[in-house]
Amino acid sequence: MPTFVDGPVRVSVPATSANLGPGYDTLGLALSLRDELEAEVLPDGLVVDVAGAGADAVPRDESHLVVRSMRAAFALMGEQPPGLRLSCRNVIPHARGLGSSSAAIVAGVVLARALVAGGQLLASDDSLFELAADLEGHPDNVAPAFYGGFVISGREDGRWYAVRAGVDPRVTAVVYVPPTGVETVVARGLLPGSVPHADAAANSGRAALLVAALTGQPEHLLAATRDWLHQDQREPAMPETLALVRRLRSHGVPAVVSGAGPTVLAFGTTNTAALTQRCPDGWACHDLAIEPSGAVLLT
């Protein structure tokens, strides 16, 4: 039966951008925008404190996503603590396509393992990643949130997999975050049940090209980020997002919808300052690096 550590543990988890154009539910990047969370075991009860992004909307009880993820990880390790205190300092915008729910899930499972003495022996990295992907339902955001960097992920023989690939050091990113969000379930609901074979083939080719572009040939990023499967189909829920993507691409900027949107992600290699100057009124723009580290325990 596991025992729990004394005192609090803290974790930092990055924002993520998934799909990256043609890599639907498969490709994801960690970005240098991070939430920080702290948790400790209490004699009884549950205390949840949230500040920053989403603070006015998330619950403070057992339904909080981080708490639910912690409970799932504790169950994996065989014991629930008598009480919990959780403190969240959120920077990642909610409902914007930057992986806030994946960050919460990954933070929860990592915090839970850190609170159990010998947790690394009871729950490996692979088992925690699989649990996080099960909780999210798809791996493209949780994989880079957990492992960092650029990750290709999916499901094979009933199990989730994640494979990291290096990112060319010249590649940076700018995110354009609109003032209002779109729930992932709404964005996914706009996708058709089937697509033409030609579109699927075109997307497969661009996804393969995107791996080559990100890992060493960024001059191909514009062509590599072309998508046929999901971006245009989501336009009814985010018309300003798709208008910005098209405007940037018409100027040669490799721009895509970040995850399910409505944030726009633009890849840069040199003059990213010029990209942030194109920020629409009322939007928030951030010049970010590709974050090499995923969830990190803080001392």
Side-chain angles (χ1 to χ4, degrees):
M1 182 177 295
T3 57
F4 301 102
V5 303
D6 294 328
V9 296
R10 294 191 300 142
V11 68
S12 170
V13 186
T16 52
S17 182
N19 301 330
L20 311 180
Y24 181 69
D25 275 4
T26 299
L27 302 182
L29 274 176
L31 301 171
S32 57
L33 195 68
R34 304 182 72 100
D35 286 349
E36 290 191 8
L37 302 91
E38 181 178 281
E40 66 178 324
V41 173
L42 299 178
D44 58 63
L46 173 66
V47 178
V48 178
D49 173 61
V50 183
D56 58 348
V58 299
R60 274 27 176 213
D61 55 20
E62 290 283 346
S63 65
H64 190 283
L65 184 54
V66 177
V67 176
R68 287 191 280 128
S69 303
M70 294 180 75
R71 294 298 189 195
F74 285 130
L76 178 69
M77 293 180 285
E79 185 72 6
Q80 293 289 339
L84 279 173
R85 179 186 66 82
L86 172 67
S87 177
C88 307
R89 299 294 177 264
N90 297 336
V91 175
I92 303 169
H94 285 206
R96 298 298 196 279
L98 287 171
S100 61
S101 64
S102 289
I105 291 168
V106 168
V109 300
V110 172
L111 283 170
R113 181 173 68 177
L115 285 170
V116 173
Q120 289 276 0
L121 299 176
L122 297 170
S124 67
D125 282 356
D126 287 346
S127 63
L128 277 196
F129 162 67
E130 289 227 9
L131 176 60
D134 282 340
L135 292 169
E136 179 76 327
H138 46 91
D140 49 342
N141 285 103
V142 295
F146 191 84
Y147 292 111
F150 174 42
V151 189
I152 303 100
S153 58
R155 193 165 179 85
E156 178 73 18
D157 295 330
R159 301 195 65 179
W160 303 105
Y161 66 84
V163 178
R164 293 190 73 202
V167 178
D168 190 294
R170 293 171 290 177
V171 176
T172 59
V174 171
V175 293
Y176 303 79
V177 185
T180 56
V182 173
E183 294 296 333
T184 300
V185 65
V186 173
R188 282 183 173 267
L190 292 170
L191 301 182
S194 61
V195 297
H197 185 275
D199 289 351
N203 241 62
S204 296
R206 297 306 172 100
L209 180 61
L210 181 54
V211 173
L214 284 173
T215 56
Q217 300 179 70
E219 64 272 17
H220 296 295
L221 278 170
L222 182 60
T225 48
R226 174 79 189 277
D227 166 75
W228 283 263
L229 295 186
H230 67 100
Q231 294 192 158
D232 289 345
Q233 292 84 342
R234 287 169 163 161
E235 186 169 10
M238 53 191 89
E240 293 178 344
T241 291
L242 270 298
L244 178 58
V245 167
R246 294 182 185 122
R247 187 160 65 250
L248 289 167
R249 294 185 68 84
S250 72
H251 289 89
V253 177
V256 298
V257 177
S258 181
T263 291
V264 173
L265 175 113
F267 287 110
T269 53
T270 53
N271 190 13
T272 52
L275 297 182
T276 56
Q277 289 170 6
R278 298 175 182 175
C279 196
D281 290 342
W283 292 44
C285 295
H286 305 280
D287 187 353
L288 303 176
I290 310 305
E291 178 59 59
S293 301
V296 175
L297 287 171
L298 304 173
T299 56

